[in-house]
Amino acid sequence: MYMKIEIKSSIDELSIVENFVDDLNAKLDLSDEIYGNIMIAVTEAVNNSIVHGNANDINKKIQIEVFQKNPNIVSFRIQDEGPGFDVQKVKDPTLPENIESIGGRGIFVMKHLSNEMIFNDPGNSIELRFLI
């Protein structure tokens, strides 16, 4: 199974991503928990690509792919046109010194809602894997 969409770097496009996840759910009949985890993690990844990766540049695109190499795992790849970033430099938002900081929470959420999170080098693409 393989599906792909491309959106503009605009928060207004998030409804397209939500519909994309809904279409996947219709095909795979996911549990409510897995569906919720996917919806939150994927929309957060796309939001990060819009805001941080493509710097809200409406002329830049984001590609979202979903595929299954294994019947028990569904994978999403979200790629923007930005320069990327080093995920190792993102501060852990659960550490006492970072509790008041606003950065890093999205990555923390994605990591905990997915079963595996992989960034490419240079950091402008993320793959989120979910056991289904």
Side-chain angles (χ1 to χ4, degrees):
M1 188 262 314
Y2 178 82
M3 298 166 35
K4 179 179 179 179
I5 59 171
E6 183 176 271
I7 63 167
K8 294 181 257 182
S9 290
S10 168
I11 298 299
D12 295 336
E13 300 277 290
L14 284 176
S15 62
I16 296 168
V17 177
E18 292 167 354
N19 290 337
F20 184 67
V21 173
D22 285 341
D23 290 346
L24 173 74
N25 187 36
K27 286 179 172 49
L28 298 179
D29 192 28
L30 302 167
S31 73
D32 290 346
E33 180 181 0
I34 299 299
Y35 167 76
N37 289 352
I38 289 172
M39 183 66 79
I40 293 167
V42 169
T43 55
E44 180 61 32
V46 172
N47 185 65
N48 282 354
S49 287
I50 292 167
V51 174
H52 301 294
N54 287 347
N56 293 301
D57 183 344
I58 196 88
N59 296 308
K60 291 185 177 179
K61 306 287 186 207
I62 297 165
Q63 294 183 6
I64 302 109
E65 300 170 276
V66 62
F67 53 92
Q68 281 184 285
K69 294 179 183 173
N70 173 322
N72 300 319
I73 299 171
V74 64
S75 299
F76 285 81
R77 184 174 301 117
I78 297 97
Q79 182 162 347
D80 59 57
E81 295 181 39
F85 74 108
D86 183 352
V87 71
Q88 301 301 322
K89 292 184 179 178
V90 176
K91 296 176 183 170
D92 181 346
T94 64
L95 294 176
E97 63 269 21
N98 299 327
I99 291 291
E100 307 263 335
S101 175
I102 59 170
R105 284 177 170 57
I107 291 173
F108 177 83
V109 167
M110 289 184 289
K111 183 177 182 177
H112 286 83
L113 292 178
S114 65
N115 295 96
E116 189 173 11
M117 179 177 77
I118 303 163
F119 283 92
N120 74 342
D121 183 13
N124 69 335
S125 176
I126 184 174
E127 184 175 332
L128 298 169
R129 295 179 181 164
F130 301 87
L131 291 175
I132 58 170

